[in-house]
Amino acid sequence: MMAADKDALICDLAETYGVFDFRALPVPLLATLASGLRDDSRIKMRMANAKASQDTFLLAAAVDALNLLVWSKTKDASKGRNRPKSIVQAISEEKVTTDDVVKFRSANDFNAAWARLSGGG
């Protein structure tokens, strides 16, 4: 934990246990206290590479479900337009870039590009 984010561990120990000088503690006690930190502590979130706590994900999922339910009763939903964006997806996913997306106007254009890329002509 110290190697991952020493400052986060220090903050969590101070907040949870009132320990401001972790060097004064024996290593086994420090390890016990560190492992006893709550799951949404700074250091455990960092170690799990979590972007948000489980509570935040559950709340976002509830809002997403409610948004979808309300949207499903609109005229836009019957035409498949303006679907609400997912908060859970916004929290959990990495930013996706579309720089390498290629579009084709027809199947013939696709086949010609495929032939060039695969060495077929």
Side-chain angles (χ1 to χ4, degrees), residues 39-105:
D39 288 335
D40 65 344
S41 65
R42 293 167 192 87
I43 190 63
K44 285 199 174 179
M45 296 277 290
R46 171 73 189 247
M47 297 294 293
N49 199 21
K51 298 187 184 325
S53 68
Q54 287 180 341
D55 291 343
T56 301
F57 275 111
L58 287 173
L59 288 170
V63 169
D64 281 351
L66 182 59
N67 282 341
L68 194 59
L69 181 63
V70 170
W71 173 77
S72 69
K73 304 297 180 189
T74 65
K75 290 179 184 178
D76 279 347
S78 65
K79 296 178 183 176
R81 297 184 308 207
N82 296 325
R83 184 184 180 108
K85 301 218 185 306
S86 170
I87 297 171
V88 171
Q89 188 177 17
I91 292 172
S92 62
E93 286 188 356
E94 297 291 325
K95 300 298 181 209
V96 177
T97 59
T98 58
D99 295 341
D100 57 348
V101 174
V102 179
K103 297 180 183 178
F104 302 98
R105 293 190 186 277

